Amino acid sequence: MNSLDWLRVLALLGVFVYHTLRPFDAGYWHVKSVHRSQLLTDVLAVIGSWGLAFFFLIAGASTFLALRWRTPVEYVRERVLRLAVPLAVGWAVLGPVQLWLEEHHHHISNDSLAAVTLRYLSDPFAPPPNVVNHSYALWFLVFLLEYSLLGLPVFVWLRHRQGQRLLARLGRLGNRRGGVLLLFVPVAGATLPLAWSLLSEEHGWGQFVYLFAFFVLGHLVMAAPGLVDAVRRDIGLAFTLAISGVVAIFARNGPDVLTTSFGRWTWLTVLILVLVVAQAWGWVLGVWAAGMRFTAFARPLPRVVAAAAMPFFVLHQPVILAVAFVAVGRAWGIWATWLTIALPAFVVTAVLSWVLSQIPGVRQMLGVKPRPSSATRPTAANGGSLVQ
């Protein structure tokens, strides 16, 4: 499905915009502006609840396509080369620069880049689930690699008789209008025991389980007969669920729950969690359906764009931090400062991604898919993508 590749690129651009806005919200980030917006904080909290979920949903859907022409062993080897290698390279090469920018901006340390690098490299590991210390945006690759390995036994089991029976039962949801929307229920059920963690910890077990559920559901929707068509059909109901959920979250003062650390589990956190999952499922299905309906997305993604996707992801946050480090000290308003961050950062990241994706050896280190040969089996993307 070519639409998955286009949606993946749009999601990547969304992540870029999200990170360029982080200097202006009320929470901690690596580089902060003196100008803050509570409204922007609330909006980013709601978008963050489903934007990442959408990324992992598309990743799970792409996993279904990848396993159609790869054996499990080939799949694991490909995941390691395209996720673990750029993760290691990005962490070792770009991480120290980001830590230096963060510490100098917040006046945590005046150490030289060399001293920060030695300290950074000496402490590589963190407690699970995000097992890489100072991973910055690369935590996404950590989770995606873990999900790929954890999900593989489930996806292989789905090919067997019992798995096929489960898929047939799930497929019957698509026969009823709006039935596919009910799949938010198992996501909420899986994350309810971790409600406090999901709503108060960044990259903790709550978020890990929450996003893994979307990853698995992306695969299930692709595998179950008729569910993809049901997603495309129920676009109106999906966006209705999404908007209703957001309105309910704001009515219950939900953004405060999403942006505040809690020391105890309450029924309000449970209510907000159910609303968060419901609206997130509505958004991800609605956007997925829109991508399938948009005729321009039926064309293959240009090979140069597909090849530059992973380098863009690896490079975008260090570039944003470097530009923001200089820009946030200016006496401008939020939107003028944002433009001085977003525009130069996008141009620099895009150009670097394109150049590096063309260099043999470097492209492999940044997770670019090998160029297809005449003997290579066809793929959904021309030249590579972030999550396939």
Side-chain angles (χ1 to χ4, degrees):
M1 295 178 66
N2 291 322
S3 61
L4 289 177
D5 297 308
W6 287 99
L7 288 172
R8 198 160 30 237
V9 170
L10 290 180
L12 178 56
L13 293 177
V15 169
F16 174 86
V17 173
Y18 180 87
H19 283 149
T20 61
L21 290 170
R22 284 303 312 274
F24 310 103
D25 66 15
Y28 177 85
W29 206 56
H30 317 296
V31 175
K32 298 297 293 187
S33 169
V34 295
H35 303 287
R36 312 286 172 86
S37 168
Q38 185 59 47
L39 177 60
L40 181 62
T41 303
D42 295 342
V43 171
L44 289 181
V46 173
I47 292 176
S49 71
W50 68 266
L52 290 171
F54 179 74
F55 232 137
F56 283 104
L57 181 87
I58 296 302
S62 298
T63 297
F64 170 78
L65 297 175
L67 285 171
R68 288 197 305 179
W69 51 74
R70 293 186 181 97
T71 67
V73 173
E74 290 173 334
Y75 172 78
V76 170
R77 182 169 58 246
E78 190 268 350
R79 293 290 78 193
V80 170
L81 290 175
R82 300 214 40 236
L83 296 176
V85 171
L87 169 63
V89 171
W91 181 86
V93 176
L94 301 174
V97 177
Q98 294 179 86
L99 182 60
W100 183 90
L101 291 170
E102 180 178 8
E103 290 189 349
H104 279 245
H105 173 77
H106 289 287
H107 306 291
I108 298 172
S109 166
N110 289 320
D111 289 348
S112 67
L113 179 58
V116 170
T117 300
L118 289 175
R119 175 157 42 88
Y120 176 93
L121 294 176
S122 67
D123 188 20
F125 301 112
N130 184 21
V131 295
V132 178
N133 198 19
H134 296 300
S135 57
Y136 293 95
L138 297 179
W139 71 267
F140 174 88
L141 298 185
V142 177
F143 275 27
L144 184 54
L145 180 59
E146 292 172 338
Y147 292 168
S148 299
L149 300 179
L150 289 173
L152 181 59
V154 178
F155 303 151
V156 171
W157 175 79
L158 289 173
R159 298 177 177 180
H160 301 296
R161 180 177 300 177
Q162 290 182 324
Q164 289 296 308
R165 289 175 180 171
L166 173 63
L167 292 176
R169 286 195 292 269
L170 289 175
R172 286 195 284 272
L173 284 176
N175 296 333
R176 298 182 179 181
R177 191 163 186 82
V180 69
L181 301 182
L182 297 177
L183 288 176
F184 89 87
V185 175
V187 181
T191 50
L192 270 177
L194 298 166
W196 177 85
S197 174
L198 176 62
L199 298 176
S200 63
E201 289 185 305
E202 188 175 35
H203 314 326
W205 284 110
Q207 189 180 38
F208 183 86
V209 172
Y210 175 73
L211 295 176
F212 184 54
F214 280 88
F215 178 80
V216 172
L217 282 177
H219 187 100
L220 291 177
V221 169
M222 292 291 291
L227 279 193
V228 171
D229 292 334
V231 170
R232 192 179 191 279
R233 180 197 65 207
D234 291 342
I235 182 172
L237 293 175
F239 280 126
T240 299
L241 176 64
I243 295 170
S244 300
V246 171
V247 170
I249 289 172
F250 276 84
R252 297 297 305 173
N253 207 22
D256 286 347
V257 178
L258 297 176
T259 58
T260 305
S261 294
F262 284 83
R264 61 191 178 92
W265 186 90
T266 68
W267 286 110
L268 177 60
T269 61
V270 173
L271 173 61
I272 297 301
L273 181 138
V274 173
L275 292 174
V276 164
V277 174
Q279 61 87 35
W281 186 241
W283 284 119
V284 300
L285 289 190
V287 174
W288 191 358
M292 286 189 284
R293 286 168 171 251
F294 191 47
T295 56
F297 286 178
R299 305 179 198 139
L301 190 69
R303 183 174 298 173
V304 65
V305 176
M310 180 63 87
F312 188 96
F313 177 80
V314 173
L315 294 169
H316 83 278
Q317 185 163 303
V319 174
I320 289 172
L321 291 184
V323 177
F325 184 82
V326 177
V328 295
R330 309 299 179 184
W332 301 323
I334 287 179
W335 296 112
T337 307
W338 176 74
L339 285 174
T340 64
I341 296 173
L343 294 180
F346 178 79
V347 172
V348 171
T349 306
V351 171
L352 282 175
S353 300
W354 174 73
V355 172
L356 295 176
S357 68
Q358 306 304 309
I359 301 175
V362 175
R363 55 185 279 122
Q364 283 79 12
M365 289 191 294
L366 291 177
V368 179
K369 199 174 192 178
R371 291 187 176 97
S373 64
S374 58
T376 302
R377 284 166 287 189
T379 64
N382 288 331
S385 62
L386 183 58
V387 293
Q388 186 181 335

